[in-house]
Amino acid sequence: MRRAIFALAIVTLILASPALAGDAEIKAGQATIDGQLKAFMADDGAAAYGFAAPNVKRIFPTVDTFMNMVTNGYAPVRKPRTYSFGKVQEMSPTSIIQQVLIVGPDGKDYEAVYTLEQQPDGTYRITGCSLRASNALST
């Protein structure tokens, strides 16, 4: 009886928890973010823009408008000193949210939360990014 209750509790916990993305999806999403961050650091706006999803490209239809937005509103993402991947969550079979912990050019800690959507060709592209100062301590 105890085993049945324990098993039921585990199944309930799993079903109540948000689904986690599979390893392949996580790696694909992280590779997309990593590629964009490396392109930003290399001052390669065209490459960085290539990681943006169509919804972002509709709002920022040129590399220049996209890079101006990133430079003026997302300095820690534009020129991170360091970054590492944090928590990840699957929102749907084709959509993930990835936390990125960043030390910005000012030496302060930031948390960037990326949303990514799988495209028809199977690649993941960035649909959005929110940025906030973090209370985490850098090492």
Side-chain angles (χ1 to χ4, degrees), residues 48-126:
Y49 188 67
F51 292 103
N55 69 309
V56 174
K57 290 180 177 182
R58 280 191 294 277
I59 297 167
F60 304 99
T62 67
V63 171
D64 288 341
T65 58
F66 174 75
M67 290 303 293
N68 284 335
M69 176 272 298
V70 174
T71 300
N72 293 322
Y74 295 84
V77 171
R78 175 71 175 87
K79 289 286 186 181
R81 285 188 186 177
T82 63
Y83 60 91
S84 61
F85 294 104
K87 299 175 187 174
V88 64
Q89 182 179 2
E90 183 180 36
M91 298 308 292
S92 77
T94 60
S95 177
I96 61 174
I97 295 176
Q98 174 68 61
Q99 175 192 49
V100 181
L101 306 171
I102 296 173
V103 177
D106 57 3
K108 295 180 181 175
D109 294 318
Y110 296 88
E111 175 190 34
V113 178
Y114 285 81
T115 56
L116 299 101
E117 186 76 31
Q118 188 175 33
Q119 303 303 300
D121 67 0
T123 61
Y124 277 83
R125 292 294 175 246
I126 299 165

Side-chain angles (χ1 to χ4, degrees), residues 4-63:
I5 292 171
F6 180 73
L8 181 59
I10 295 296
V11 169
T12 302
L13 182 62
I14 290 170
L15 293 176
S17 299
L20 293 179
D23 285 345
E25 291 83 5
I26 292 169
K27 288 179 182 176
Q30 289 176 347
T32 297
I33 295 167
D34 185 59
Q36 188 178 65
L37 290 171
K38 286 179 177 170
F40 285 145
M41 293 187 307
D43 293 321
D44 188 345
Y49 188 67
F51 292 103
N55 69 309
V56 174
K57 290 180 177 182
R58 280 191 294 277
I59 297 167
F60 304 99
T62 67
V63 171

